[in-house]
Amino acid sequence: MKRLAQREPATFAVVLGLFALLLLFVALPLLRVLMASVVQDGGWTLETWRTMLTRHGALVPLWNSLRLAATVAVTGTVAGFAAAYTITMVAVPGRRAFRFVAMLPMLAPPFMIALAAIMLLGRNGVITRSVLEPLFGTGVEIYGFGGLVLVQTLTFFPLSMLLLLGTLAGMDPSLEEAAQAQGATPYRVFRDIVLPLAVPGLLSSMLLMFIESLADFGNPLILGGDFRVLSVAAFLRITGEFDTAGGAVLAILLLVPALTAFFVQRFYVQRTTFATVTGRPSALRRLHTGPGARTFAALSFVLLGSAVCLFYGAVLYGSFVQVWGVPGELTFGNYAGALRQAGGALTDSVVLAAIATPVTGIIGMGAAWVLTRRRFTGQGLLATLAMLTFAVPGTVVGIGYVLAFNSPPLQLTGTAAIIVLLFVFRSIPVSLEAGRNGIAQVDPAIEESSASLGATPLVTWRRVALPLAAPAVFAGLAHAFVRSITAVSAVIFVVSGQWNLVTVSILGFVENADLARAAALCVILVTIVSAVLAAMQFATSRMDARA
């Protein structure tokens, strides 16, 4: 660090600033959660832990969370691999349309599919009344473990698909062609070539799905029923029973497996090679056309594509009915009513997300540049701190922010600042990774040429690296905006009467059984997100064209 300060004082200041921000808004909230579980009345004690682990059944939601996360890790990865294999390797029409449909869950609040599940499979759901009850009688419902597996799989499999798209696309097609030339059947090629080479991506996907399921809050809150999980239990412990110490214990029980999975994933990915040969692939991939591959693709289309369209179609249709489950004329009244009751929350969400998005992009790209192009003491610690909130469940982060910023000198509770800061530091990991990938594709010689002409490192970053990494800039900004405007698990702890959020309003509609207005608000939110992403894509493409 001393050498960096002497050679590049501006870069040294950026590194110090990043350390200060990450320690204050990432490490400190987690430390406060830990302290809340072991400090009581000014002294250290493990009494809260003993009480929670014996009398209050903390082990039941822990076991439920782990069981659910392990199941979704498998089902989500299977669905993601099926979608990625269909898009990458099979010659079937409609692959682009299928990819678009498969990406829809990423543009909506994470509990939108849970809302659709209630409309279709709830006690008064369309499928329940017309199909399930005539076949199986009463008592069949979506609430509990089975419903959560279904909903979380459909919600999170696009993340697995995106990860596995890169894995499959990076395979050298000459290996498959060599196997076929030796007489291997398409099934043998898939079993002996494609599947083994995809194992690193599959394992990484399973860990990612495990983390996402553990961190999920909205779906278990809506569909959990008697199936208690840690994220919801910690929230109810604090907001319902006003037991901060007990909620902190549950939060730490949730944090430990999530962080374990995160560090195992990073350790595995960093020490596993995805390369099949040296250099670039030797030939263009010839898409599979055999009956087995086409059948597999057709099943993926039908099962995944139809499920997503069915659930999202239910929300769209439900936004026009007067009362869900009661026949009647379609109406736009739900939209008017939703905007009348939650218009302020919608405005707050858009404004705060719009503020957080560029801040996230600047910090994420700045961190990406110093981590990619510079070497300094503490670089690994900085990278770990920046990526930490990706693994920390939102419930834990929300509790940490309430505990850390509820008193002087940083009393932020009830202000817009605490929501924006939470948005920023929850979104930085993806912005950082996107930035590192984009900057890594820029030849360092270009930046060296800029430096040789007298440009400072910051000018080089702003005028050279940033424009050339425009696609990565868009990816980071897009993710930051979507993650901010659809967030619920962390921000539900910090909203106030002055600053509310649309996702919290949607949850309120669902809890009051006003499914039609909840659906209308979801449709409005998805429309806004889609429009903003389209505008950002256009602006970034113009920036990329000028670079």
Side-chain angles (χ1 to χ4, degrees), residues 78-106 157-170 176 190 194 285-289 293-302 304-305 308:
V78 169
F81 179 79
Y85 181 81
T86 298
I87 293 169
T88 307
M89 294 189 165
V90 185
V92 289
R95 288 185 298 148
R96 288 188 177 182
F98 175 66
R99 179 170 182 167
F100 170 77
V101 170
M103 294 289 292
L104 281 177
M106 298 186 66
F157 89 88
L159 297 174
S160 173
M161 180 189 73
L162 289 178
L163 189 154
L164 292 169
L165 279 174
T167 300
L168 296 177
E176 301 172 52
F190 176 81
V194 175
R285 181 178 304 281
R286 286 190 292 182
L287 300 178
H288 300 173
T289 59
R294 286 180 174 272
T295 301
F296 183 86
L299 288 175
S300 300
F301 276 14
V302 171
L304 293 176
V308 173

Side-chain angles (χ1 to χ4, degrees), residues 5-354:
Q6 294 173 344
R7 289 183 288 118
E8 300 179 17
T11 304
F12 176 72
V14 170
V15 173
L16 284 185
L18 289 172
F19 265 117
L21 289 173
L22 294 172
L23 288 173
L24 182 60
F25 296 111
V26 175
L28 177 61
L30 299 182
L31 179 62
R32 291 301 303 270
V33 173
L34 177 61
M35 291 179 59
S37 70
V38 295
V39 176
Q40 190 173 0
D41 298 328
W44 296 87
T45 178
L46 294 177
E47 180 62 23
T48 304
W49 279 90
R50 186 188 67 80
T51 302
M52 292 299 299
L53 293 176
T54 54
R55 298 185 204 168
H56 295 284
L59 295 180
V60 172
L62 173 62
W63 167 245
N64 287 343
S65 296
L66 295 176
R67 182 161 64 103
L68 176 63
T71 305
V72 173
V74 175
T75 57
T77 297
V78 169
F81 179 79
Y85 181 81
T86 298
I87 293 169
T88 307
M89 294 189 165
V90 185
V92 289
R95 288 185 298 148
R96 288 188 177 182
F98 175 66
R99 179 170 182 167
F100 170 77
V101 170
M103 294 289 292
L104 281 177
M106 298 186 66
L107 304 180
F111 51 81
M112 185 168 171
I113 292 182
L115 172 61
I118 295 176
M119 292 178 163
L120 295 172
L121 300 166
R123 296 184 179 94
N124 196 35
V126 174
I127 296 178
T128 301
R129 288 186 287 105
S130 59
V131 178
L132 298 181
E133 288 185 356
L135 290 177
F136 305 105
T138 59
V140 179
E141 58 182 37
I142 193 67
Y143 301 94
F145 176 77
L148 286 175
V149 170
L150 172 64
V151 167
Q152 287 190 346
T153 299
L154 290 175
T155 300
F156 300 129
F157 89 88
L159 297 174
S160 173
M161 180 189 73
L162 289 178
L163 189 154
L164 292 169
L165 279 174
T167 300
L168 296 177
M171 294 181 185
D172 192 337
S174 64
L175 298 176
E176 301 172 52
E177 295 171 5
Q180 292 170 350
Q182 296 295 322
T185 63
Y187 171 73
R188 288 288 301 274
V189 172
F190 176 81
R191 189 191 69 182
D192 298 337
I193 303 294
V194 175
L195 205 55
L197 291 176
V199 165
L202 291 171
L203 293 177
S204 184
S205 170
M206 291 180 68
L207 289 169
L208 177 62
M209 293 295 98
F210 184 87
I211 293 171
E212 291 292 339
S213 176
L214 275 180
D216 189 22
F217 172 80
N219 290 315
L221 183 65
I222 294 175
L223 289 180
D226 294 332
F227 187 82
R228 296 181 298 151
V229 297
L230 283 172
S231 58
V232 176
F235 169 74
L236 295 178
R237 193 81 194 172
I238 291 177
T239 60
E241 302 182 35
F242 304 102
D243 183 3
T244 302
V249 170
L250 294 175
I252 294 173
L253 289 176
L254 178 62
L255 179 63
V256 170
L259 285 181
T260 301
F262 170 73
F263 285 114
V264 168
Q265 181 193 35
R266 290 187 63 81
F267 177 87
Y268 183 79
V269 170
Q270 290 172 357
R271 285 159 178 77
T272 303
T273 176
F274 289 79
T276 55
V277 293
T278 57
R280 294 184 180 273
S282 58
L284 294 176
R285 181 178 304 281
R286 286 190 292 182
L287 300 178
H288 300 173
T289 59
R294 286 180 174 272
T295 301
F296 183 86
L299 288 175
S300 300
F301 276 14
V302 171
L303 295 178
L304 293 176
S306 298
V308 173
C309 289
L310 175 64
F311 278 65
Y312 277 76
V315 173
L316 179 60
Y317 175 77
S319 67
F320 292 103
V321 301
Q322 294 181 352
V323 179
W324 184 260
V326 178
E329 295 182 357
L330 300 183
T331 175
F332 283 96
N334 296 319
Y335 288 87
L339 290 175
R340 185 169 54 252
Q341 291 184 248
L346 181 62
T347 302
D348 289 348
S349 293
V350 173
V351 170
L352 296 178

Side-chain angles (χ1 to χ4, degrees), residues 394 397-398 401 417-427 487 490-491 494:
V397 177
Y401 268 60
I418 193 172
I419 300 177
V420 171
L421 288 168
L422 199 152
F423 283 168
V424 169
F425 289 95
R426 287 285 286 164
S427 302
V491 296
V494 297

Side-chain angles (χ1 to χ4, degrees), residues 290-467:
R294 286 180 174 272
T295 301
F296 183 86
L299 288 175
S300 300
F301 276 14
V302 171
L303 295 178
L304 293 176
S306 298
V308 173
C309 289
L310 175 64
F311 278 65
Y312 277 76
V315 173
L316 179 60
Y317 175 77
S319 67
F320 292 103
V321 301
Q322 294 181 352
V323 179
W324 184 260
V326 178
E329 295 182 357
L330 300 183
T331 175
F332 283 96
N334 296 319
Y335 288 87
L339 290 175
R340 185 169 54 252
Q341 291 184 248
L346 181 62
T347 302
D348 289 348
S349 293
V350 173
V351 170
L352 296 178
I355 295 172
T357 296
V359 176
T360 303
I362 293 171
I363 296 177
M365 290 300 296
W369 186 69
V370 298
L371 290 172
T372 305
R373 294 294 196 234
R374 296 294 182 267
R375 295 292 178 266
F376 52 88
T377 304
Q379 188 169 16
L381 176 60
L382 180 65
T384 299
L385 286 173
M387 292 297 298
L388 196 58
T389 54
F390 177 80
V392 177
T395 303
V396 182
V397 177
I399 295 172
Y401 268 60
V402 170
L403 295 174
F405 307 118
N406 196 34
S407 58
L410 277 177
Q411 189 169 355
L412 302 176
T413 303
T415 67
I418 193 172
I419 300 177
V420 171
L421 288 168
L422 199 152
F423 283 168
V424 169
F425 289 95
R426 287 285 286 164
S427 302
I428 276 180
V430 173
S431 180
L432 169 62
E433 284 298 296
R436 294 179 76 168
N437 292 335
I439 292 172
Q441 295 175 359
V442 178
D443 192 338
I446 300 177
E447 298 180 28
E448 293 170 4
S449 299
S450 173
S452 67
L453 293 174
T456 65
L458 290 181
V459 171
T460 299
W461 173 77
R462 181 173 59 88
R463 300 291 296 273
V464 178
L466 196 60

